[in-house]
Amino acid sequence: MKTVAAIATTVLLWASAFVAIRHVGADVRPGALALGRLLVAAAVLGVLVAVRRPRWPDRRAWPRLVLCGVAWLGVYNVALNAAERRVDAGTAAMVVNLGPVLIAALAGLFLGEGFPRRLLLGLATAFAGTVLIGVAAAGDARADPWGVALCLVAAAGYAVGVIAQKPLLARADALPVTFLATLVGTVACLPFAGQLVTDVAAHPGAAGWLVYLGAGPTALAFTTWAYALARTGAGRLGATTYLVPPVVVLLAWSLLGEVPAALALGGGLLCLAGVAATRSRRLTLTPRQGVSWTAERG
């Protein structure tokens, strides 16, 4: 029950982040937005680890922590922020949610898991969906293909981050793993400190959004994600994030008046169909063996 609650919290907060980024991104530049969000998250998580006694990662964990922090907290955030200046929130959520498919691809390429037939079918279908979304963006005054490309960069950062993070959670608690990865991401984004000061000074109202993005979709949601990931296979948990795009579309429609083009919606459905095809086998990770495929029925 706690795991279900953690997953639901993550999905809702991450969905709200797409809408919040779309709103505040007009006033705060991508790198500055990422840094501001991570500074707040690091402060919140720092207080939590100070009052608790979590099980910390050992020294061997640092290469994975750095990879997770740079790829997921750094590259993902900056790329997504930049993308949402070019595409609507719903379209961004659809493309970024190719991340679980990329996780499967990385497992096949680097962890010796191969490429089962159904996996290849799913990857091809999801790629076709991405092409449709790109075509829709090219013909939409609100978007352009570069926005879709940036979303794919964000999806890649997400996938790399999950692959790096999962083994760490077998030897340490979710809270310190999230905290340390957030610190790494914060350091990676420090070159944008000047932009952050300038943008917030020019738009003081943006500070509230940065606090929300840092405390909610980052500090809380990444911790609840890590908590659930420690108790669930990466592929199975990744599938729950496919609930994010429809939630984003509803939030963007009600709060921003945005609905993705019909062709983009069709592409999103193809992406989901492709991911569903890959789910005929469940992607799991074990502390010693890394990623493995386990047959799943139903």
Side-chain angles (χ1 to χ4, degrees), residues 21-281:
I21 291 168
R22 178 70 170 165
H23 175 75
V24 75
D27 297 329
V28 183
R29 283 168 284 186
L33 178 54
L35 177 59
R37 174 179 180 175
L38 290 172
L39 284 171
V40 173
V44 172
L45 292 169
V47 171
L48 292 177
V49 297
V51 299
R52 301 184 63 179
R53 294 182 178 180
R55 185 174 46 136
W56 288 82
D58 57 30
R59 294 180 180 178
R60 295 173 297 174
W62 272 103
R64 288 183 177 274
L65 282 168
V66 170
L67 181 58
C68 180
V70 171
W72 199 354
L73 280 303
V75 172
Y76 170 87
N77 276 317
V78 175
L80 178 61
N81 296 343
E84 289 207 55
R85 287 190 159 199
R86 298 172 177 269
V87 300
D88 61 82
T91 299
M94 289 178 192
V95 181
V96 168
N97 269 277
L98 280 173
V101 178
L102 297 179
I103 293 172
L106 289 173
L109 286 171
F110 300 111
L111 300 177
E113 303 304 328
F115 294 92
R117 184 179 302 175
R118 287 184 179 273
L119 174 61
L120 293 176
L121 174 62
L123 290 172
T125 304
F127 178 76
T130 305
V131 171
L132 277 183
I133 294 173
V135 171
D140 191 338
R142 300 172 303 175
D144 63 55
W146 283 111
V148 175
L150 287 166
C151 287
L152 289 174
V153 172
Y158 159 52
V160 170
V162 171
I163 292 294
Q165 183 190 44
K166 174 63 178 178
L168 300 176
L169 298 170
R171 304 183 182 91
D173 292 336
L175 182 58
V177 168
T178 306
F179 172 61
L180 293 175
T182 300
L183 283 182
V184 171
T186 302
V187 171
C189 291
L190 281 178
F192 301 108
Q195 292 183 5
L196 177 62
V197 173
T198 301
D199 292 351
V200 173
H203 306 279
W209 288 101
L210 293 178
V211 170
Y212 171 74
L213 284 167
T218 308
L220 178 56
F222 274 80
T223 301
T224 52
W225 163 272
Y227 176 89
L229 185 60
R231 294 158 176 81
T232 312
R236 186 176 181 183
L237 181 59
T240 64
T241 64
Y242 310 144
L243 296 172
V244 170
V247 174
V248 172
V249 169
L250 291 175
L251 290 175
W253 172 72
S254 61
L255 299 176
L256 303 177
E258 293 181 347
V259 176
L263 192 58
L265 288 172
L269 291 175
L270 267 182
C271 291
L272 297 180
V275 172
T278 69
R279 290 284 295 149
S280 61
R281 288 177 176 269

